[in-house]
C-alpha cells in the first residue's frame, strides 16, 4: 500500500499560521506523525506540498501508477478548484479529503468543497489526527473492507 499525502496552499505555514485554528505544530511535525503511523502498519507514504494549483494537479496525476491512495488537504483550493476535482476523477485513485479545522463551523465561503464529490471520505476538525485516520481508511479501503 502506497499513499501520497498532498497538502495545498499555506499548509507549509503550519505552526505559525493562525495557531488558534491550526495548532502550533509544523508541517514537518505532521509529516513525522504520518510517517511513524504508516511505518507501524507497513504502509509506504510520500509527501507533497505546493501553494500552486497546477502543481497540485500535476502531483495528483503523477500519483497514477505510483500510489494506491491519496490523502489530500487542498487548503483554500477546496472551495474554489474544479481543476483539483477533475484531477482526482481523472487519476481514479481513491482519495480522502482532510481538513485540520472543522470547516462546517467556519465562514460561509468554506462551505463548498468541489473535491469532495471525487473523494471516498472527508475527515475534518480532528487536527493532525485526521491525516492518520485518512491513511487507515485508505488502507482498509485497499483491503476491500
Ligand atoms: C483547511 C481549511 C481551509 O478552509 C483553509 O483554506 C485551509 C486549511 C484545513 O485544513 O482546515 O487552508 O483545509
Amino acid at each position: 500500500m502506497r499513499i501520497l499525502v498532498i497538502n495545498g496552499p499555506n499548509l507549509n505555514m503550519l505552526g505559525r499560521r493562525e495557531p488558534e485554528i491550526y495548532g502550533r505544530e509544523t508541517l514537518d511535525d505532521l509529516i513525522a506523525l504520518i510517517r511513524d503511523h504508516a511505518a507501524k502498519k507497513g504502509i509506504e507514504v510520500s509527501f507533497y506540498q505546493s501553494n500552486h494549483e497546477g502543481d497540485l494537479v500535476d502531483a495528483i496525476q503523477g500519483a497514477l501508477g505510483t500510489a494506491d491512495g491519496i490523502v489530500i488537504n487542498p487548503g483554500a483550493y477546496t472551495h474554489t478548484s474544479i481543476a483539483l476535482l477533475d484531477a482526482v476523477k481523472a487519476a481514479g485513485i481513491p482519495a480522502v479529503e482532510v481538513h485540520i479545522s472543522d470547516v462546517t463551523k467556519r465562514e460561509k465561503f468554506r462551505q463548498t468543497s468541489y473535491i469532495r464529490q471525487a473523494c471516498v471520505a472527508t475527515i475534518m476538525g480532528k487536527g493532525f489526527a485526521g491525516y492518520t485516520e485518512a491513511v487507515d481508511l485508505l488502507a482498509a479501503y485497499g483491503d476491500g473492507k
Side-chain angles (χ1 to χ4, degrees):
M1 185 78 197
R2 302 158 302 172
I3 293 175
L4 172 63
V5 181
I6 300 177
N7 278 294
N10 298 306
L11 290 159
N12 57 319
M13 299 293 282
L14 284 173
R16 45 168 63 237
R17 170 192 188 197
E18 300 177 270
E20 65 289 356
I21 297 175
Y22 300 111
R24 297 211 172 266
E25 290 188 297
T26 65
L27 180 60
D28 283 347
D29 295 332
L30 174 63
I31 288 170
L33 175 84
I34 300 168
R35 227 188 256 294
D36 280 5
H37 182 84
K40 281 181 203 142
K41 307 209 160 186
I43 299 166
E44 220 178 275
V45 275
S46 54
F47 299 90
Y48 183 76
Q49 190 278 327
S50 175
N51 295 320
H52 305 280
E53 188 174 12
D55 290 342
L56 293 165
V57 169
D58 288 344
I60 294 166
Q61 291 182 7
L64 207 52
T66 63
D68 309 302
I70 296 173
V71 173
I72 182 163
N73 182 347
Y77 288 138
T78 306
H79 318 300
T80 61
S81 180
I82 298 167
L84 292 185
L85 164 67
D86 286 348
V88 172
K89 281 186 174 171
I93 300 166
V96 175
E97 174 192 10
V98 172
H99 300 286
I100 295 166
S101 66
D102 182 353
V103 287
T104 64
K105 301 210 167 81
R106 299 183 63 193
E107 301 93 329
K108 196 158 176 258
F109 56 79
R110 293 185 208 275
Q111 301 314 311
T112 299
S113 167
Y114 286 101
I115 207 163
R116 192 157 306 162
Q117 61 173 277
C119 293
V120 297
T122 299
I123 299 168
M124 61 172 87
K126 297 189 171 176
F128 285 9
Y131 288 83
T132 51
E133 193 176 317
V135 166
D136 291 346
L137 210 145
L138 283 169
Y141 194 85
D143 288 343
K145 283 177 207 153

